[in-house]
Amino acid sequence: MKFSKLFLLSLIFLSLVSFKPINTKTFSNTKTSIYFATDKQQLETLMRKAYEWIETKKTQTDFDVVENKKGDKYVGLNVKAHNKVVEELKKSNFFAQQFIDNYNKIGLKIGDNLKTNKMEYFVGELPPYGNDSNPWCNCQDNPEAFWKTMKLNNLKIENNKATFYWTWTEWKETPKYKVTAVKENGIWKIAYLEGFDLKTYF
């Protein structure tokens, strides 16, 4: 009896000593449900969310200008309103510092040119800068909620910089609007929009 107890105990002891944890490598080939969005999907999401914000939440007037006392001519930039929009762009988290700096430069240049009479802008006339259309889309009209079906075309990515143009699908006539995005801390942000190109804005 003692022998059988001793034998049983030794068997238990041996089984505990020889126990090996399950090799986790055997599970490495099993399929998991973890999903990582591709860069194209991330950029498409960025553009759709950014344009929804632009159309529904952002202050609609870009580069608000002030009239002279007669009320017949614009003589400067409404700096307070301009700074408010710049702050909105920053807080939205959709735009790289590069875009925000460029947007700010355009506003300040408009203000300076009006103040120093480098350009004249009479009330009731089209502004002597920009291209007489909405710079966010280079369009004068757009489909309702166009951001929902916005498509990215000719996407090229190199060294955390993406270039592409977007179109919408609801109308045959669509802008072919050029965009550059950059990765900041692993997140894609808008760095350049064709309608705000400093070289062609003035």
Side-chain angles (χ1 to χ4, degrees), residues 86-87 89-105 180-185 187-192:
V86 169
E87 201 54 38
L89 293 172
K90 283 180 190 173
K91 285 181 180 175
S92 74
N93 216 28
F94 295 126
F95 302 94
Q97 194 60 47
Q98 181 183 332
F99 179 85
I100 294 162
D101 290 344
N102 180 74
Y103 183 95
N104 190 41
K105 268 185 198 171
T180 302
V182 293
K183 251 185 187 177
E184 288 185 353
N185 300 318
I187 298 166
W188 285 109
K189 292 188 180 184
I190 297 164
Y192 167 89

Side-chain angles (χ1 to χ4, degrees), residues 16-190:
L16 287 171
V17 170
S18 62
F19 173 77
K20 281 185 181 177
I22 294 166
N23 188 349
T24 52
K25 285 183 181 177
T26 57
F27 292 98
S28 62
N29 293 329
T30 57
K31 288 183 180 178
T32 59
S33 59
I34 297 168
Y35 173 75
F36 296 100
T38 64
D39 283 317
K40 184 173 183 179
Q41 288 165 328
Q42 288 174 28
L43 287 162
E44 201 167 72
T45 300
L46 166 68
M47 296 309 295
R48 287 181 176 181
K49 284 185 176 179
Y51 270 86
E52 182 179 10
W53 176 82
I54 290 159
E55 292 291 316
T56 62
K57 292 180 181 175
K58 177 191 157 288
T59 298
Q60 288 305 295
T61 305
D62 292 293
F63 316 126
D64 188 32
V65 287
V66 291
E67 299 173 8
N68 61 8
K69 287 179 183 177
K70 283 184 182 178
D72 64 344
K73 191 178 174 183
Y74 296 109
V75 291
L77 178 74
N78 182 339
V79 177
K80 192 178 177 181
H82 175 68
N83 288 342
K84 184 186 172 221
V85 177
V86 169
E87 201 54 38
E88 285 177 3
L89 293 172
K90 283 180 190 173
K91 285 181 180 175
S92 74
N93 216 28
F94 295 126
F95 302 94
Q97 194 60 47
Q98 181 183 332
F99 179 85
I100 294 162
D101 290 344
N102 180 74
Y103 183 95
N104 190 41
K105 268 185 198 171
I106 291 172
L108 296 178
K109 192 170 181 181
I110 289 168
D112 186 56
N113 286 355
L114 291 174
K115 200 183 259 187
T116 57
N117 289 316
K118 281 183 185 171
M119 61 186 178
E120 288 189 312
Y121 182 8
F122 292 97
V123 174
E125 291 185 3
L126 289 169
Y129 47 83
N131 61 0
D132 305 335
S133 62
N134 179 351
W136 294 100
C137 60
N138 279 347
C139 62
Q140 292 177 331
D141 198 9
N142 53 262
E144 196 175 330
F146 65 88
W147 57 85
K148 289 181 181 177
T149 55
M150 187 180 272
K151 275 183 74 178
L152 271 54
N153 304 282
N154 283 27
L155 175 63
K156 288 169 190 167
I157 299 172
E158 195 176 336
N159 298 329
N160 287 334
K161 182 181 177 183
T163 56
F164 55 92
Y165 65 85
W166 63 254
T167 57
W168 57 52
T169 55
E170 292 91 331
W171 295 352
K172 283 183 182 178
E173 291 294 317
T174 174
K176 199 173 171 181
Y177 192 94
K178 193 174 179 186
V179 182
T180 302
V182 293
K183 251 185 187 177
E184 288 185 353
N185 300 318
I187 298 166
W188 285 109
K189 292 188 180 184
I190 297 164

